[in-house]
Amino acid sequence: MRDSIDVLISEEQIQQKVTEIGEAISRDFAGQSVHLLGILRGSYVFMADLARKIDLPTTVDFIALSSYGEDTKSSGVVKLEIDLGISIHNRNVIIVEDIIDSGLTLSYLTRNLATRNPTSLKICTLLSKPSRRKVDIDVDYEGFEIPDEFVVGYGLDYAQQYRNLPFVGVVKDTGISE
Ligand code: IMP
Ligand code: MG
């Protein structure tokens, strides 16, 4: 049976915000190139849309990390599943993330990437749940701050489902308690 999903952020709101972020990146890095580094799997939809709103020489790569199993709570353990395909040395790296929750994933990743000598390292996230933060993260580009609810769609999953929804929504009846 499909869970029922309430729309939290509409497709139109997302597309408007992605356009704004793409324009901001294009302004901030005018005259330079950028290297988008998406965190699989949740960022793939945002990454694809964002890349097409950036008016600069742009390269893309992906890294796979996991801190979640088939549950809705962070295990607190971040595992590097697939490493960089392209060296980030001398590149303006923009990490592209779907959502920042505890911040543990990005805290691990930024420390790891900083040792690989990028020219610059920025963080771009579509969503953020500030009330859930366990470690401070400096976010350079942020789409929407959302309340402490488990969301799906536009790349985000619940047990690998719902990534293909064009909007961000809240799943009802999953028995999520926090
Ligand atoms: P953090 O390490 O706790 O910041 O977790 C970040 C990762 O947890 C994200 O990249 C998502 O994969 C996952 N995540 C956190 N909150 C949600 C949510 O509400 N829906 C789906 N995935 C989430
Ligand atoms: Mg993720």
Side-chain angles (χ1 to χ4, degrees), residues 56-138:
L56 298 172
T58 299
T59 50
V60 300
D61 196 10
F62 290 94
I63 197 167
L65 299 169
S66 63
S67 63
Y68 280 72
E70 303 283 297
D71 203 345
T72 58
K73 281 185 296 192
S74 175
S75 61
V77 179
V78 180
K79 192 165 134 234
L80 179 58
E81 292 182 332
I82 303 172
D83 202 353
L84 304 175
I86 301 168
S87 166
I88 59 170
H89 183 65
N90 289 344
R91 292 182 194 266
N92 291 313
V93 176
I94 302 176
I95 299 170
V96 179
E97 178 60 303
D98 51 358
I99 185 165
I100 306 178
D101 186 51
S102 68
L104 292 170
T105 304
L106 279 177
S107 162
Y108 163 84
L109 185 62
T110 50
R111 272 182 284 120
N112 181 307
L113 295 182
T115 66
R116 309 197 207 186
N117 299 313
T119 304
S120 61
L121 187 58
K122 303 280 185 200
I123 293 176
C124 174
T125 188
L126 180 72
L127 306 173
S128 175
K129 289 183 200 170
S131 66
R132 299 261 308 169
R133 214 65 100 241
K134 287 187 186 147
V135 285
D136 267 346
I137 299 288
D138 274 339

